[in-house]
Amino acid sequence: MGSLQAYQPRMTPALELSPAEARDLFRALPPGSNSRRPIHITRTARTIRLASRPVRGSVQLQGSDRVRVLEPLAPFAKELHIWYDEESQTSAWDLRFEMGRFFALVSPELNRGFSGEGQMLARLAVGDWQQSLPLVADSLNWQSQIDTAALAANNGCSEASVEAALAVLGARGLVGYDLTTGRYFHRVLPFDLEKVESQQPRLKAARQLAASGNCRIVGETPSETRLTIPGTGVEHFVRLRLEGDRCTCRWFNRYLGQRGPCKHVLAARLLVEGEESAIIQSLLGEAAGE
């Protein structure tokens, strides 16, 4: 639940369906074992159709049985809105009724959930959230919509730093994000923070690497810090950058940052920024939400 807040701010409106179109779409979704293959939902002229390949503006869906469970609600809905983030391939399904809404976020693959993938990191890379975090936290008063601009003006912070602070608070279960309004709201999730450490094996391994004394800074510029971090029988080259960290290890090359930072990037962050690193704090928040 904490990690969901990292996905939603990046999503954009993709499709808007009438009740009849929603009913036809649910009925057209492949059933059973066929539901496991990726399909692409798109609009051609006035028709919603399914394609086997992505086209411009389409929404990719794998595991369509997960969405088919919404079909019984379709006759009672006024409209169906589908949101999508092309980078993470995450979709949101928003059924709107005369009174209330039913909102579901669908992960990109059947074998992937939302927790522990480090999606918070891009937002945390912008803004001095360490300074604004206590100010934003003190302003929480069960607001249904948090005005980022007003918070920034009242506390003498930039809007980017307030957004980053809200992202941290979202990972820690203290705010949620309403995709339809584009605003955070105050809420408290009952996280057991004592279990955070045991739920982050990558973070534990990174701390061991950072404490080994074998991590070295080999170069530094205003926009980038370069380090060598020991691996299994090899040294990995890590680059810490505002536009996205990079590592030469197999984990990074396999997932390209889509499932959070590798232990070598975490060790580098620990070495350069310590425990107050935005990446470290976001991972602690995400573990609390698992």
Side-chain angles (χ1 to χ4, degrees), residues 221-236:
T221 68
S223 61
E224 179 179 279
T225 301
R226 299 183 295 277
L227 305 93
T228 56
I229 308 294
T232 305
V234 67
E235 267 194 338
H236 293 296

Side-chain angles (χ1 to χ4, degrees), residues 58-85:
S58 64
V59 172
Q60 180 170 307
L61 175 65
Q62 186 185 73
S64 56
D65 278 347
R66 296 183 292 168
V67 172
R68 187 186 289 278
V69 298
L70 302 177
E71 184 178 357
L73 299 176
F76 307 101
K78 294 196 307 177
E79 53 194 7
L80 168 64
H81 290 245
I82 303 176
W83 304 69
Y84 190 58
D85 174 29

